Amino acid sequence: MALALTGIPGGLVGQGRGVSVGGFETHGSVGLSREDYQALGRALSALLAERLGERGASSVEVTATGGRPGRDDLGAARTAAPSAGASLLVVGSLLDQYGDIQVEARVIDASTGRPIAVVRPDPTLVHRDQLAEAIASLANEVTEQPGVGGVPAPYQPGIPVNALVQYGKGLQAEESGDRPAAQSAYRAAVAAAPGFSGAAQALRRV
């Protein structure tokens, strides 16, 4: 099992119990390649953890490899969450049908596996080009769940999907140790979305 842990600065930590973002499933989506959906799922997981942190939730991203393509290894994510300091696990899902999207997240008790809530973003965010806004809206909804902490916040104009895909490919390459490929993908993400702070930070990191 390989884990990627992305912490949130202490100044942003709220009064919640600690939240682990355990991945973003894309199984069943059509309209992009399988490779692009896998990269997109990786990017959305990182983006959700980042947006939760911006809202003051005590969040950490825990990505466990080994699941089937488009699926998360829920057992591995539950095992990893406590070691990352989280007692709640958030697992997202994206169903994309040729550009029409449905996004939701399950909030789960990491120690018992008990479902706590299913949350969904603003129902007007239904198109693929609104994905980044949907994740920000989803983060707002997650912060309102008991024990999560943080407060909702306005969300900014979106990030193009091709930038999210390249960001996800960069994360995948970085995690596999392929630094040149990660740099190339992060550069492509920044070129497609110059205001994409997550991609710019990742490029500086590698």
Side-chain angles (χ1 to χ4, degrees):
M1 178 179 67
L3 300 177
L5 304 181
T6 304
I8 301 301
L12 294 176
V13 172
Q15 300 302 312
R17 293 186 288 159
V19 183
S20 165
V21 178
F24 229 93
E25 298 186 334
T26 58
H27 180 76
S29 292
V30 290
L32 301 176
S33 69
R34 176 177 290 186
E35 178 186 54
D36 282 355
Y37 277 121
Q38 288 181 265
L40 188 57
R42 182 66 190 82
L44 296 182
S45 178
L47 191 63
L48 180 56
E50 180 182 340
R51 296 295 179 257
L52 284 169
E54 290 170 352
R55 284 151 177 77
S58 177
S59 66
V60 62
E61 186 193 7
V62 179
T63 301
T65 64
R68 290 179 295 165
R71 299 279 196 182
D72 290 324
D73 187 335
L74 185 57
R78 275 188 55 204
T79 299
S83 65
S87 60
L88 297 175
L89 177 65
V90 176
V91 178
S93 68
L94 165 68
L95 180 62
D96 178 354
Q97 299 293 291
Y98 297 104
D100 294 327
I101 63 168
Q102 296 178 28
V103 177
E104 67 178 34
R106 292 172 288 157
V107 183
I108 300 165
D109 185 304
S111 62
T112 66
R114 179 178 63 87
I116 295 173
V118 176
V119 298
R120 297 179 178 87
D122 181 339
T124 66
L125 301 171
V126 295
H127 301 297
R128 189 189 294 149
D129 60 3
Q130 297 174 307
L131 255 176
E133 293 100 319
I135 297 304
S137 176
L138 191 66
N140 283 345
E141 297 299 323
V142 172
T143 62
E144 295 184 348
Q145 299 306 307
V148 173
V151 294
Y155 39 91
Q156 303 299 316
I159 301 165
V161 172
N162 62 326
L164 290 171
V165 170
Q166 290 299 324
Y167 178 49
K169 289 181 177 180
L171 290 168
Q172 291 171 326
E174 183 179 355
E175 288 156 9
S176 69
D178 190 340
R179 187 166 175 265
Q183 290 175 330
S184 178
Y186 290 145
R187 286 194 188 99
V190 171
F196 189 178
S197 61
Q201 291 169 5
L203 181 57
R204 290 193 293 271
R205 183 173 65 238
V206 297

